[in-house]
Amino acid sequence: QRDDAPTCAGFVAIACGLHHSVGLRSDGTVVTWGRSSDGQSNDAPTLAGFVAIACGSHHSVGLRSDGTVVTWGSNRSGQRNDAPTAAGFVAIACGSHHSVGLRSDGTVVTW
């Protein structure tokens, strides 16, 4: 979605889904824009403390500074319900309908 990008500054990372985008600001907050047919823009977390973001086709994942992950958007393929609740993550990534997290002990978790 090219016509509704935020005009604010201070971004340190961006990620794109199929029809939505997510930006991570230097203060650890997340900004979303684009189509929100599955809540991928409207349901974004309002909390600060994020250090990384990733997007699938219709869902997004945020990594918080405490090592926990937060998901929002579509759950048609379990992108949200199957997300791990424990801490210890150091990196995240998304495919079209799934997500992957890397734990500090080197193990990989998929959901």
Side-chain angles (χ1 to χ4, degrees):
Q1 301 302 93
R2 299 180 317 171
D3 57 353
D4 63 347
T7 57
C8 53
F11 288 97
V12 295
I14 54 172
C16 295
L18 187 61
H19 297 288
H20 75 289
S21 300
V22 179
L24 176 63
R25 300 192 64 198
S26 59
D27 63 1
T29 58
V30 172
V31 177
T32 62
W33 63 95
R35 186 182 298 169
S36 192
S37 57
D38 293 303
Q40 61 269 48
S41 291
N42 294 340
D43 292 342
T46 56
L47 305 172
F50 288 92
V51 295
I53 51 173
C55 291
S57 290
H58 299 278
H59 75 288
S60 299
V61 178
L63 175 63
R64 295 181 50 93
S65 59
D66 64 1
T68 58
V69 295
V70 178
T71 61
W72 65 96
S74 176
N75 192 42
R76 283 182 239 158
S77 300
Q79 302 96 307
R80 295 178 62 192
N81 285 349
D82 297 335
T85 56
F89 288 91
V90 295
I92 53 172
C94 291
S96 291
H97 297 96
H98 71 287
S99 301
V100 180
L102 174 64
R103 290 187 179 273
S104 58
D105 65 2
T107 57
V108 174
V109 178
T110 61
W111 66 95

